Amino acid sequence: MKEAYILDQDFVNTDGSQLEKGEYENCTFSNCSFEYLDLSGFSFTDCEFIECNLSMAKLVKTSFHEVLFKECKMFGIQFNDCNPFGLSFRFDGCALNNSVFYQTSVKKTVFKNSKLIEADFTESDLSNAAFSNCDFSGAVFDGTNLEKADFRTSVNYSIDPALNRLKKAKFSLSEVHGLLYKLDIEIDKNS
């Protein structure tokens, strides 16, 4: 059975279970629900997801190429299951709590105004990523490549420099305690 090829379509208030499995190019999904759906094997190229709920969606071998997620709820997504070939996306105003990027290469990814609470970045490649106004409360960084990543406007990260690659990464002075927490020292934030 041949899979669908959908080009230049707008989907508004759609229940994702109604989508045909296949390739979606230059499509916009607004206020759609994909919660708990199996999107395995789907392909999205130059698509936008706006105010959608993708929480707990299954993404085995799902392809994302130049995809924008804006104001989306994306709890517990296993991005490590996605097709790694050409994987590229941007997040703006998204809730990515408890999402997993384990061993995922997402170089140069932009995360803007997003919550990444308890997200798992273990052994992922986030080199040259930009994290603008993001909250990393409880996020895990272990064996993560963060070279040239920009955390200057983000908060609540705890990153052990001995366990992660941080060469040329950028951090703000006000959040430097997130790099020194393992030393069990006191830092006076008022000085």
Side-chain angles (χ1 to χ4, degrees):
M1 184 174 166
K2 189 174 179 185
E3 291 187 351
Y5 176 74
I6 294 88
L7 178 67
D8 299 328
Q9 295 288 315
D10 291 329
F11 298 89
V12 181
N13 297 319
T14 302
D15 178 349
S17 63
Q18 299 169 355
L19 294 182
E20 291 182 74
K21 185 174 184 177
E23 184 176 345
Y24 292 79
E25 186 172 348
N26 201 37
C27 294
T28 301
F29 301 89
S30 301
N31 296 303
C32 297
S33 178
F34 300 94
E35 190 173 21
Y36 292 103
L37 290 183
D38 187 351
L39 298 175
S40 297
F42 278 67
S43 178
F44 300 97
T45 303
D46 295 316
C47 291
E48 292 184 0
F49 291 82
I50 302 166
E51 296 180 355
C52 293
N53 184 353
L54 293 104
S55 295
M56 302 301 292
K58 188 174 180 181
L59 302 176
V60 177
K61 302 262 189 259
T62 303
S63 296
F64 292 109
H65 305 284
E66 301 298 324
V67 171
L68 169 66
F69 295 99
K70 186 172 176 66
E71 304 292 332
C72 290
K73 182 177 175 184
M74 306 175 78
F75 293 169
I77 292 191
Q78 304 279 328
F79 288 100
N80 54 312
D81 288 341
C82 291
N83 182 344
F85 183 75
L87 185 63
S88 59
F89 34 55
R90 295 171 296 150
F91 301 94
D92 186 355
C94 294
L96 292 145
N97 302 357
N98 300 104
S99 289
V100 178
F101 292 86
Y102 175 72
Q103 292 185 337
T104 303
S105 180
V106 284
K107 300 175 185 179
K108 299 181 181 179
T109 299
V110 174
F111 295 83
K112 186 176 175 184
N113 304 317
S114 295
K115 293 190 182 298
L116 294 137
I117 296 169
E118 296 186 8
D120 184 357
F121 295 101
T122 301
E123 297 179 20
S124 61
D125 187 347
L126 292 162
S127 55
N128 292 290
F131 300 102
S132 178
N133 297 311
C134 292
D135 183 351
F136 287 97
S137 299
V140 177
F141 296 93
D142 186 2
T144 307
N145 182 352
L146 297 167
E147 293 179 355
K148 297 182 182 176
D150 189 344
F151 285 87
R152 290 179 292 182
T153 58
S154 291
V155 295
N156 299 323
Y157 48 79
S158 295
I159 301 170
D160 186 343
L163 300 177
N164 298 283
R165 294 169 50 189
L166 299 175
K167 188 174 183 178
K168 304 270 188 194
K170 297 173 184 172
F171 300 93
S172 68
L173 186 57
S174 64
E175 289 292 317
V176 75
H177 56 86
L179 298 172
L180 303 173
Y181 73 100
K182 288 284 259 195
L183 300 176
D184 197 25
I185 59 176
E186 292 185 28
I187 299 168
D188 185 356
K189 295 181 186 176
N190 298 323
S191 298

